[in-house]
Amino acid sequence: MSKTRVAALVGPTAVGKTDLSLQLAERLNAEIVSVDSMQVYEGMDIGTAKVSPEDQARVPHHLLDIRPPGHDLTVAEFQSLARTAIEEISTRGKLPLLVGGSGLYLRAVIDELEFPARSLEVREALEFEAEKLGAEALHERLREVDPKAAARIEPGNARRTVRALEVIELTGRPFSENDAWERYESIYDVTIAGLTRDRSDLYARVGQRVDKMLERGLVDEVKRLEPKMGRTARQALGYRQVLESEPKALRDDIVRATKRFARRQESWFKSDPRVNWFDAAEPDLLERVAAYLEG
């Protein structure tokens, strides 16, 4: 049986994926499946740079505004939702175009990755330990029991460190044991285009993006949503800084965190040999990427 044809457009935040994805979708008779771990939440619009209602009317989008911000979406849940969307789009004779910068979520959707069950009791105990000792101390514990998993997780990322240790405690096996992570073999006939920019250009765009978000009312958006936000939503880039930073330092804190996030995104995607990279500043970008994805 032939595999379902799927295309993907990936890259770091602020590189220019959204504008290009709309043009590609129109050119390729595609519908867009958002691969963003935070755009799934209702009301989290400004801080996630969610595509406008006008552009959603222009091109059908999937996995936007599908859960309240108090819901802690799991990767396994996202995997199921995205695969259902892909099947529905393909059945209509259109091309599923996956667009986003969440590398873990992309791989969860297109590759044969399994995600073990959760335990609220175990997770809360680990989260308490992270709060008491610090994320770095918990990461060091992970390094001792599963160095391969630790190498893939930032020391300050308490949420992912907790998840890895939770799986180890529940299964008795290393979190990194699933060798599907190393194979890069998709369940789909997938073609992936990656966007990149000169680092100074990307950083300038990050600054402009943050300024625009603040001008549009990011702080008010966060204050309005705060009573409804769950643990996962509170960790979203920009939202966390609004909740934790001093007002005078807010802009710089968001820019710094966004630059750090963009570097991690680039590193994640560049480890995937299936990604073919394009300079987002090239004048013939649309034609080149469209031709690649069509081929």
Side-chain angles (χ1 to χ4, degrees):
M1 178 183 290
S2 61
K3 294 181 178 179
T4 300
R5 179 85 176 88
V6 172
L9 180 67
V10 303
T13 186
V15 77
K17 297 185 296 295
T18 299
D19 289 343
L20 180 62
S21 69
L22 293 165
Q23 299 175 70
L24 286 170
E26 293 174 328
R27 177 77 66 93
L28 304 175
N29 189 31
E31 295 185 18
I32 293 174
V33 179
S34 170
V35 186
D36 187 295
S37 61
M38 297 299 169
Q39 290 189 357
V40 298
Y41 293 118
E42 299 167 341
M44 293 178 63
D45 302 331
I46 297 173
T48 65
K50 194 176 294 175
V51 66
S52 69
E54 293 77 17
D55 285 333
Q56 291 184 49
R58 174 181 164 191
V59 172
H61 282 68
H62 302 264
L63 303 194
L64 299 179
D65 299 313
I66 59 171
R67 292 291 185 270
H71 179 85
D72 290 321
L73 186 81
T74 65
V75 182
E77 183 181 0
F78 185 92
Q79 179 187 64
S80 176
L81 292 166
R83 289 179 177 177
T84 298
I86 289 171
E87 182 179 350
E88 292 173 351
I89 295 167
S90 181
T91 299
R92 288 193 291 272
K94 294 196 171 186
L95 175 68
L97 175 60
L98 280 55
V99 180
S102 296
L104 171 62
Y105 283 63
L106 176 72
R107 290 213 59 195
V109 174
I110 66 174
D111 294 342
E112 196 59 75
L113 301 180
E114 297 180 359
F115 298 91
R118 291 175 173 269
S119 165
L120 180 61
E121 182 180 348
V122 171
R123 186 167 71 252
E124 287 184 342
L126 289 166
E127 287 172 346
F128 176 77
E129 188 175 343
E131 291 177 5
K132 184 178 180 181
L133 303 177
E136 287 77 10
L138 207 64
H139 188 271
E140 183 58 35
R141 176 177 155 191
L142 176 62
R143 192 192 311 277
E144 293 173 359
V145 296
D146 191 350
K148 287 181 66 177
R152 290 201 296 255
I153 299 174
E154 288 287 317
N157 193 327
R159 184 167 63 91
R160 289 190 62 197
T161 302
V162 164
R163 176 55 176 157
L165 288 170
E166 178 189 12
V167 170
I168 293 169
E169 187 160 338
L170 290 175
T171 66
R173 301 191 304 271
F175 183 67
S176 60
E177 188 177 75
N178 187 348
D179 64 356
W181 287 102
E182 312 298 332
R183 293 201 302 265
Y184 294 101
E185 295 176 357
S186 181
I187 63 174
Y188 300 110
D189 175 13
V190 63
T191 306
I192 310 174
L195 292 187
T196 186
R197 285 183 183 270
D198 175 79
R199 184 61 60 85
S200 61
D201 183 21
L202 181 64
Y203 282 177
R205 290 172 62 91
V206 165
Q208 294 164 7
R209 179 191 184 105
V210 172
D211 289 337
K212 184 176 180 180
M213 288 178 175
L214 291 171
E215 291 168 4
R216 290 183 58 204
L218 174 61
V219 174
D220 289 339
E221 179 175 274
V222 176
K223 288 181 178 178
R224 183 176 68 254
L225 293 172
E226 183 179 6
K228 309 173 186 177
M229 296 172 78
R231 286 192 297 263
T232 302
R234 287 174 176 272
Q235 296 304 308
L237 186 64
Y239 295 82
R240 178 177 181 176
Q241 285 72 34
V242 171
L243 293 171
E244 297 179 358
S245 297
E246 294 295 328
K248 290 183 178 180
L250 178 59
R251 192 263 182 191
D252 289 344
D253 286 351
I254 298 176
V255 169
R256 188 180 308 110
T258 305
K259 289 178 179 178
R260 187 164 58 244
F261 181 56
R263 291 195 297 270
R264 291 202 303 270
Q265 289 174 300
E266 286 184 328
S267 176
W268 179 287
F269 288 122
K270 286 184 177 178
S271 69
D272 190 331
R274 297 169 295 187
V275 180
N276 192 35
W277 292 95
F278 297 85
D279 185 345
E282 291 294 325
D284 59 346
L285 179 66
L286 173 61
E287 287 71 22
R288 293 178 60 220
V289 176
Y292 172 70
L293 294 180
E294 283 179 319

